[in-house]
Each structure stands twice: as structure tokens, then as C-alpha cells.
Amino acid sequence: ELQEAENLINSLLKPDPTKRLGASNNCTRVRKKVFNAEINKPSELRAHTFFKGLDMRHLTESEAPALPYNINIPQPTLDGADSDWMLQGDATELLEAAFCGENAESSGSQPQKSELVGEFDSYLKEGEKIILEGLVKKRAGVFDKNRHLILTSKPRLLYFSPSTLQLKGEIDITHKLMVVTKSRKKFEVVTDKRTYYFTDYLGSSERWKKTIEGLQTNALSSLELHE
């Protein structure tokens, strides 16, 4: 049973949501095509050997099995967690949809998932590719706004409204630009003219820094070769 439980958990925790057991077409991602709905259906999750013997059709009507021992469950508290505890780990499709919905309340509309696929490609120049992207908070004055941040091979940073996919700004990455990480989530992009303040929901500030600096090094090496 322990091996079956481990196998089930591993099947549900695959980094690519489209490959998780039972995902079917219930989970699509920005810039990815909808995959075959007839493959990896939810029924395959219910058929996992861990659930052998369970009557799924009448599960809600069945009596819960007795615990093998008495357990005292303490009253829930924050247990030292900060107010961002729900944002720890990988952002799920449900979480991203919630952020989009938050912004869509003011706009009165929200694009469907099918409208999101490949939408950013229209903002790319010829031969330009997306290197890194993610959902962030960007400080705008005294307020923070949700933005979809994209790093391209040009290199440059583009940030969009996650609900309308409207381009909100662009940051050219020159050799003078600096990236300063303030914490696991927070990082700053410092240019000659201003400083941009970002908070990455996945806690990947160091990844943004290393990737941007890597593109800067490549761009400088390419420039030296041409000289």
C-alpha cells in the first residue's frame, strides 16, 4: 500500500500539469495547445490501484473508515506562517485564474483560455523567442499590480495585464542594467532611468536574475565578436 500511495502521489505531482494522472483537457496553459481529451482521462485516476476496493459511484454515501488510533487535532492557527502562505510553491491554473479574475473585475471582461494560446507571439520581433515567463506583482506607485512578465532573447522584458493581455511596458536589457534580489520572491531591475520592483509568485527571483545576467553575457560576447 505504501508503494501504491507513493506512485499515486508522484503521478499527481508531475511538474507539467498536462502529464498529471487524470489531467485530460481540464488543465491547459498559456501558449500551449489543448491536448487530446481522450487520453489520460479522470477515470484513469479513479482506476489507480491505490483506490482498489472503493466504490467511487457511491463514495459520498459510504461511511468513512474508523481511524486506527485516537488523534487530537489542534485548533487551526497561522503557526508562524506569513500572509502569503497560499502563494508558496508552484502556482496552479486555479491560482492563475483567480489572479486574472481579480483584474477582470475592473475591466468587465476576461479572455477565454483559447484566446490566450500564442497571444504573446504577436508582440515578438522576427527571430525573437520567449526565454522565461511568469506571474508577478509589479509595484506601481504605492500599489502592486499583477503582471505577466516575459523575458525574451532580444533581450528585453515585457510585462502584460494577465486578464486583458495588453502590453503595459517594456524594459530593454543593456549591459548597464542590474538585477538585485531582495528575497526569494522580490527582485529589482535597475536601469539608467528608473528601478522596477517585482515580486515573483513562485519565489524564483534568483532564477530571473541568473537568466537575465546570462543573456547580458551572451549579448556582450556577441558584440565583441562582431567588433
Side-chain angles (χ1 to χ4, degrees), residues 5-133:
E6 182 179 354
N7 179 269
L8 174 62
I9 293 172
N10 289 335
S11 299
L12 295 173
L13 294 181
K14 291 184 180 295
D16 185 346
T18 65
K19 294 181 180 179
R20 294 170 189 164
L21 183 62
S24 184
N25 65 339
N26 295 316
C27 183
T28 57
R29 302 193 67 173
V30 174
R31 305 186 66 254
K32 282 193 176 181
K33 295 180 179 179
V34 176
F35 50 94
N36 192 341
E38 296 303 315
I39 299 176
N40 194 22
K41 294 188 283 190
S43 58
E44 297 189 28
L45 171 60
R46 295 192 293 270
H48 192 278
T49 54
F50 180 79
F51 301 117
K52 185 178 179 180
L54 285 179
D55 183 0
M56 291 291 186
R57 291 183 177 275
H58 303 92
L59 190 60
T60 58
E61 303 169 10
S62 305
E63 185 177 349
L67 292 174
Y69 49 83
N70 293 327
I71 182 171
N72 295 318
I73 302 177
Q75 291 297 318
T77 65
L78 285 178
D79 293 331
D82 59 28
S83 58
D84 287 337
W85 70 271
M86 289 186 66
L87 301 177
Q88 303 297 324
D90 291 340
T92 63
E93 292 295 314
L94 184 61
L95 185 58
E96 291 190 16
F99 292 135
C100 290
E102 175 185 315
N103 289 295
E105 291 178 359
S106 57
S107 63
S109 64
Q110 182 177 348
Q112 298 299 314
K113 281 288 181 182
S114 59
E115 297 175 1
L116 296 177
V117 179
E119 187 72 20
F120 299 120
D121 293 342
S122 61
Y123 294 96
L124 301 180
K125 299 179 180 180
E126 185 177 356
E128 187 176 17
K129 297 180 180 180
I130 293 178
I131 304 299
L132 184 62
E133 61 181 309

Side-chain angles (χ1 to χ4, degrees), residues 169-221:
E170 174 181 344
I171 307 171
D172 281 323
I173 297 177
T174 67
H175 68 282
K176 293 182 179 180
L177 180 143
M178 293 192 303
V179 181
V180 181
T181 56
K182 293 295 184 178
S183 67
R184 189 171 62 87
K185 290 183 178 182
K186 297 180 183 293
F187 65 99
E188 299 174 0
V189 176
V190 184
T191 69
D192 288 339
K193 296 181 179 180
R194 60 176 289 191
T195 299
Y196 298 82
Y197 302 90
F198 295 105
T199 301
D200 182 90
Y201 279 111
L202 301 184
S204 303
S205 62
E206 194 63 35
R207 184 183 181 190
W208 283 102
K209 175 181 171 65
K210 289 181 178 179
T211 308
I212 291 173
E213 290 178 347
L215 288 173
Q216 285 178 304
T217 301
N218 292 340
L220 186 60
S221 298

